[in-house]
Amino acid sequence: MATIEIATLGNVKTQHANVSNVVGIGGINERNGVMLIQALFKLIGFQDIYAKRYFGLSANDIPEPTGILDVKTILSIGGVQRMMSSRLLNNDGKIHPASYKDRVLKNALYKGSRLMAITLLNMEAVETAISQDLGDVPVAIKKIAPTIMFT
């Protein structure tokens, strides 16, 4: 299931979208979890310049938020992990759920820090949502994937 949680990054509290189970090849790939990842990809890679920067793909290659793990989603997961490898803790072709409860990610805001993919995706989504005047991340995700359900 997709969830909205409060992530504490340094001194900043922000809403982050999270998956309950692993998304990617060999993951559980629950429909709302896959749709969440696809919506984050759409939000971040909305133009070719950003799709190339974050995924090494064109904006047309970013998956639609269907909730189905398809080739475009698998390629986008691999792409973001390849393009952002210096910022990620893990590059295994999967998006793992984060544990934000009662945690402070002290170094998350430093450019050299290594993060879980879901956390980095959320940080980039926050910036995109603000710059595109889409509201916060949950609101932006609902605009992109109206049928997504959060718990």
Side-chain angles (χ1 to χ4, degrees):
M1 198 57 140
T3 61
I4 300 297
E5 301 177 28
I6 300 297
T8 306
L9 311 174
N11 297 336
V12 178
K13 290 185 183 293
T14 185
Q15 289 186 316
H16 274 214
N18 201 359
V19 291
S20 299
N21 296 296
V22 174
V23 172
I25 295 176
I28 292 175
N29 298 309
E30 186 272 327
R31 182 182 179 278
N32 280 297
V34 174
M35 189 180 297
L36 168 64
I37 298 306
Q38 292 166 330
L40 285 169
F41 290 168
K42 268 295 196 205
L43 179 59
I44 296 165
F46 73 102
Q47 288 182 335
D48 273 340
I49 188 170
Y50 302 111
K52 286 187 188 341
R53 178 186 303 160
Y54 294 113
F55 304 99
L57 302 169
S58 73
N60 290 334
D61 293 326
I62 302 299
E64 293 299 322
T66 63
I68 297 168
L69 185 71
D70 57 10
V71 172
K72 284 186 174 184
T73 306
I74 292 165
L75 291 175
S76 294
I77 291 170
V80 77
Q81 289 184 347
R82 184 180 62 258
M83 299 301 289
M84 305 300 285
S85 64
S86 66
R87 301 270 336 265
L88 295 173
L89 288 171
N90 198 345
N91 296 313
D92 63 355
K94 300 173 187 164
I95 307 291
H96 298 266
S99 175
Y100 295 119
K101 187 175 167 75
D102 300 323
R103 292 186 64 207
V104 176
L105 303 173
K106 294 177 184 164
N107 296 325
L109 299 176
Y110 297 112
K111 285 293 181 190
S113 62
R114 294 173 73 88
L115 306 167
M116 292 185 72
I118 191 72
T119 302
L120 183 60
L121 288 170
N122 271 282
M123 289 174 64
E124 298 300 334
V126 166
E127 287 186 29
T128 302
I130 290 168
S131 71
Q132 296 299 307
D133 199 26
L134 296 172
D136 59 15
V137 168
V139 170
I141 289 169
K142 282 296 263 182
K143 287 178 182 174
I144 293 167
T147 62
I148 195 167
M149 306 221 359
F150 293 112
T151 59

